[in-house]
């Protein structure tokens, strides 16, 4: 199994999620109602959780690649 390639895919996903977070932050600046800001903040929170999970998984897979080589 190619753990390095798998880790790179997770990093790409993390970058895509980061872009989505940045877009939501822009939407947050434009939000006028409290309910709207609350909903956007909720989405940002979910996206951040996904982002950190992808980064962690990529890191673990990279470590697995090192273990496999050794």
């Amino acid at each position: 199994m190619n753990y390095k390639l798998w880790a790179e895919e997770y990093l790409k996903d993390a970058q895509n999620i980061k872009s989505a977070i940045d877009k939501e932050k822009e939407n947050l600046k434009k939000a006028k109602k409290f309910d709207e800001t609350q909903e956007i903040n909720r989405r940002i929170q979910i996206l951040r959780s996904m982002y950190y999970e992808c980064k962690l998984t990529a890191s673990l897979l990279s470590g697995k690649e090192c273990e496999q080589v050794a």
Side-chain angles (χ1 to χ4, degrees), residues 28-57:
L28 188 60
K29 292 177 185 176
K30 298 173 190 172
K32 301 201 185 296
K33 297 179 181 176
F34 177 74
D35 291 344
E36 192 177 358
T37 59
Q38 203 171 23
E39 179 65 24
I40 293 169
N41 278 322
R42 186 185 66 79
R43 285 195 303 263
I44 290 172
Q45 189 174 20
I46 291 168
L47 287 168
R48 279 187 180 149
S49 176
M50 293 167 62
Y51 171 78
Y52 290 125
E53 182 128 352
C54 284
K55 295 286 279 188
L56 175 63
T57 303

